[in-house]
Amino acid sequence: MDDSSNKSDRKLRTASQLVHGGGMRSEFGETSEAIFLTSGYVYPDAETAQARLAGDEPGFVYSRYANPTVKMLEDRLSIIEGAAACRATASGMAAIHAALVAPVKSGDRVVAARALFGSCTWILDNLLPRYGVEVEFVDGYDLEGWKRALSRPVKSVLIETPSNPLLDAVDISAVADLTHAAGGELIVDNVFATPILQRPLELGADWVTYSCTKHMDGQGRVLGGAILGKDAEAMEEVFAGYLKHTGPAISPFNAWTILKGLETLALRVDKMCDNARIVADFLAAQPSVRAVRYPGRKDHPHFDIHSRQMSSGGSLISFSIEGGKDAAFRVLNSLELVSISNNLGDAKSLICHPATTTHRTLTDEQRAMIGLDQSWVRLSVGLEDAADVCDDLERALSTLR
Ligand SMILES: *Cc1c(COP(=O)(O)O)cnc(C)c1O
């Protein structure tokens, strides 16, 4: 294998790294990255097998540990994120699960922002406390709350920004400083922003997690996840063994699909952001829309932080519909172009009603604490002509009059 990313020391820019970063060519000289759809590897002799498994000789031994196609994905993600190390996983949740569980032991403390992807809240609420880990939630926007929570020692802090489902902001550098002062490490779930719009490691985060299922695949095909960090030794010590022995390995086919998705990531994210801006402004002018939350609009309550740490408003919009759940359901059911789905970051525009789907497992009280009532819908703007998306929304909203 020839590591084509190492041809010279030239530092390529992100758009070029998305196409070339981490690429390896086999002796056949293929243009497109190869899919090594193999679970195992053969050795020329027993001595080599012994040396490989002992780690005394480089090389692949089993695809639960590492695989050439998966390695290309990990290397490309590391390069675009500016990370020292990356491990790809079978899904975004596998990455976050590892990020939360692998470092902690009974008696440790974890602090998290309250507004998170539903399954992250589930792990923090249900899993960690069972193993004797104390978990505390904080309003992600409230720096005083972070100061209070991080006045005691902490092992890990988890934030998501922009967050699910109301696109709240968390000040990454301020929370990173407070986390480090409390002796902990900051994990940022950067799915909504993508590495194109926001760079948590540069803002002080220690770990970044992705659901590659979202914008990175971007065409609704496969699941995948990744955990990236600045410290290659810590990745080895804390996560490599954990991932190897617990087995959330990504399929080489899925890794390949995501690799190909990365080639067009910047183009797609830029176009989605342009579209989302148009759709957000359109929604804000609709009489039956009570409020619009788009990180790129000045009327977003956390616009100051979003505009400091994100280079654009992103592809997601949340909006509140006059008339609560019934009206929200009527609008969703009247859409023809935009599909009802809890996925996001797709080429197709997708809409969901978080209170009854992605955030249904939260108690009423938990939902109230993140400001999520039944009137909110979350729209992931895709790659269609923005005018068609606006027409579809206008037609659906007109059913309320
Ligand atoms: C989708 C998502 C996840 C989980 O990723 P999967 O690939 O579905 O496991 C985690 N965090 C955020 C913000 C997400 O949008």
Side-chain angles (χ1 to χ4, degrees):
M1 295 282 282
D2 154 36
D3 189 345
S4 63
S5 67
N6 281 345
K7 263 191 213 132
S8 75
D9 294 333
R10 217 161 13 112
K11 172 112 179 58
L12 295 175
R13 293 162 183 84
T14 303
S16 314
Q17 295 293 16
L18 284 164
V19 179
H20 293 278
M24 287 190 286
R25 282 209 168 104
S26 78
E27 70 269 34
F28 300 116
E30 65 280 358
T31 309
S32 175
E33 293 75 5
I35 312 179
F36 289 90
L37 208 53
T38 182
S39 44
Y41 304 85
V42 296
Y43 313 100
D45 46 54
E47 288 76 10
T48 307
Q50 180 182 18
R52 282 262 190 101
L53 272 112
D56 296 337
E57 179 183 289
F60 295 96
V61 296
Y62 192 51
S63 287
R64 171 150 50 76
Y65 305 3
N67 168 283
T69 308
V70 174
K71 183 172 186 322
M72 286 191 261
L73 173 63
E74 292 171 338
D75 288 351
R76 186 166 296 174
L77 287 172
S78 277
I79 289 167
I80 60 177
E81 194 73 39
C86 170
R87 296 305 298 255
T89 55
S91 69
M93 281 322 302
I96 291 175
H97 176 262
L100 286 173
V101 173
V104 294
K105 61 179 187 322
S106 155
D108 282 342
R109 213 171 146 251
V110 171
V111 177
R114 204 167 271 126
L116 293 172
F117 187 73
S119 296
C120 301
T121 309
W122 187 90
I123 291 176
L124 293 161
D125 257 348
N126 295 288
L127 199 59
L128 291 185
R130 265 201 254 156
Y131 300 112
V133 176
E134 181 192 336
V135 177
E136 183 177 338
F137 291 97
V138 173
D139 171 354
Y141 188 67
D142 175 19
L143 266 189
E144 292 309 312
W146 282 113
K147 280 181 196 156
R148 273 193 305 278
L150 298 176
S151 61
R152 287 202 285 139
V154 73
K155 182 74 186 174
S156 307
V157 170
L158 173 67
I159 61 173
E160 182 184 317
T161 178
S163 71
N164 249 304
L166 297 184
L167 311 173
D168 295 336
V170 182
D171 186 333
I172 298 173
S173 25
V175 174
D177 288 346
L178 291 168
T179 302
H180 296 151
E185 298 201 327
L186 176 64
I187 307 160
V188 178
D189 181 347
N190 203 39
V191 171
F192 279 23
T194 80
I196 306 299
L197 306 180
Q198 182 167 272
R199 312 192 46 88
L201 296 180
E202 286 169 15
L203 296 167
D206 301 283
W207 304 100
V208 180
T209 57
Y210 287 103
S211 164
C212 307
T213 316
K214 311 296 167 56
H215 305 77
M216 290 182 181
D217 170 26
Q219 289 153 84
R221 299 167 296 195
V222 300
L223 295 176
I227 170 163
L228 295 115
K230 284 176 184 168
D231 184 344
E233 252 171 58
M235 180 71 91
E236 220 26 59
E237 269 168 35
V238 182
F239 295 112
Y242 187 86
L243 294 169
K244 179 167 151 179
H245 298 299
T246 60
I250 186 171
S251 148
F253 179 78
N254 291 4
W256 175 83
T257 308
I258 295 162
L259 260 174
K260 304 314 284 180
L262 287 176
E263 293 183 356
T264 56
L265 180 68
L267 283 175
R268 288 184 288 104
V269 168
D270 284 352
K271 179 66 179 166
M272 284 173 170
C273 291
D274 291 348
N275 281 355
R277 160 106 245 164
I278 295 168
V279 174
D281 290 346
F282 162 82
L283 285 168
Q286 299 306 302
S288 37
V289 172
R290 267 197 337 183
V292 171
R293 281 205 163 198
Y294 179 61
R297 274 178 61 91
K298 289 212 174 72
D299 58 2
H300 189 297
H302 307 162
F303 176 76
D304 54 338
I305 293 177
H306 280 317
S307 59
R308 225 188 305 135
Q309 60 193 23
M310 255 172 104
S311 59
S312 170
S315 61
L316 285 129
I317 304 168
S318 288
F319 60 102
S320 162
I321 296 174
E322 205 76 66
K325 180 183 165 188
D326 290 347
F329 272 34
R330 172 117 51 102
V331 170
L332 262 59
N333 293 340
S334 307
L335 289 163
E336 289 169 10
L337 180 67
V338 179
S339 305
I340 303 170
S341 173
N342 44 293
N343 200 6
L344 61 96
D346 197 272
K348 296 179 172 67
S349 289
L350 303 173
I351 197 162
C352 72
H353 183 253
T356 53
T357 57
T358 54
H359 291 69
R360 76 186 182 287
T361 57
L362 268 59
T363 61
D364 289 343
E365 193 193 0
Q366 283 173 321
R367 274 196 295 271
M369 284 176 101
I370 59 168
L372 177 66
D373 65 37
Q374 301 279 339
S375 72
W376 287 94
V377 296
R378 186 194 74 192
L379 173 64
S380 169
V381 181
L383 294 173
E384 302 93 342
D385 190 313
D388 286 326
V389 177
C390 292
D391 286 352
D392 199 33
L393 287 163
E394 183 166 41
R395 196 171 40 239
L397 287 164
S398 74
T399 64
L400 299 177
R401 291 198 286 273

